[in-house]
Amino acid sequence: MANNDISRRQFLGAASLVATGIALVPGEIFGVPAYIKNLGKPNSLFNGVQVGAITYSWRSMPGGAEDILKYCIDCNISAIELMGPTGESFAGAPEAPPRPNLAPGPDGKRPEMTAEQKAAQTEYAAKLAEWRAKVSMDKFVQLRKMYNAAGVSIYAFKPSALGTNNTDAEVDYAFRAAKALGANQANVELPNDAAETKRLGDIAAKNKVYVGYHGHTQQTPTWWDVALGQSKYNAMNFDMGHYVAAGFDPIAQIDAKHDHIVSMHVKDRKNKQNGGANVPWGQGDTPIVAALELMRAKKYKFPATIELEYEIPAGSDAVKETAKCVEFARKALGA
């Protein structure tokens, strides 16, 4: 009878939580959830460290604004770096032509685009540039409000508007759109040209929005230094997984450059000596736990952005794998 009474009380307590919109996490001790959602809203702020995700992580799935928001809720992500096509499509951008298949052939070489494909891409780029120069920010504000109402903030925007071939009007648009979305940064791969990083930094400063420069295995401890010296709005979108695969220690870099980091991509890769492969979290050489612990201890405020790049196992999908990364980070931060 005593055991039956306890089970009945547990059931009634859990039912009352569900009735008020608070969910228990399956697999945890009954009545002691890993986290409690606030009326169904996600929360990936763990002991002062904002864990986020770049929406590129869900590239294998539909990428509409409503789809992306559902993925955030499903894997408990409350802050994101938004890829450009999702935001621009929501705002009414011209539809892109079919993407040519430029995958390497059996000989390892990429095929050339046909003349028709090149013409279509050129025409689209011109239409998109014109749209970007004229578009109202109202739809970007609407998107921000929709996400915020569901408990998700947008801290970074990554459109294809910050390249060397983009006009000043397009670059200006990227920062204005980022601001309308609630982001403090628009991100791009670091150009090799110092004149280009100065151009981006100057337009970023005008908008008071950072440009976060991202890199892959070309990253080194001093790789960003020229850009950082040109403008206080030139900043780092540091990728610690790629940095490890390049052969360097990300903990030393985070400690040295934290004042310049506006966001940090987190993935697990083998180091250079071990081949550099992307692997599930906890199976590589990237010191993810140590980095998160450092952020917690030093109270660094830049977000740790999950970027899912390892191969998705059979029977899973990108959202389920992102949720595993969120849980890994939560446990590492003692939340």
Side-chain angles (χ1 to χ4, degrees), residues 10 15 39 49 74 78 109 122 134 181 209 268 284-285 333:
Q10 287 176 327
L39 298 178
V49 176
D74 287 349
S78 58
K109 296 181 180 179
T122 300
K134 297 178 179 178
L181 289 166
V209 174
D268 205 352
D285 298 312
L333 289 164

Side-chain angles (χ1 to χ4, degrees), residues 187-208:
N187 295 341
V188 68
E189 307 304 304
L190 178 67
N192 292 323
D193 183 4
E196 179 63 10
T197 53
K198 185 176 188 310
R199 178 177 80 115
L200 296 181
D202 288 346
I203 300 174
K206 186 182 78 171
N207 287 281
K208 294 183 170 53

Side-chain angles (χ1 to χ4, degrees), residues 1 13 35 79 86 93 120 149 155 158 161 190 192 268 280 319 335:
M1 284 296 295
Y35 61 86
T86 298
Y155 56 79
K158 193 169 186 178
L190 178 67
N192 292 323
D268 205 352
V319 172

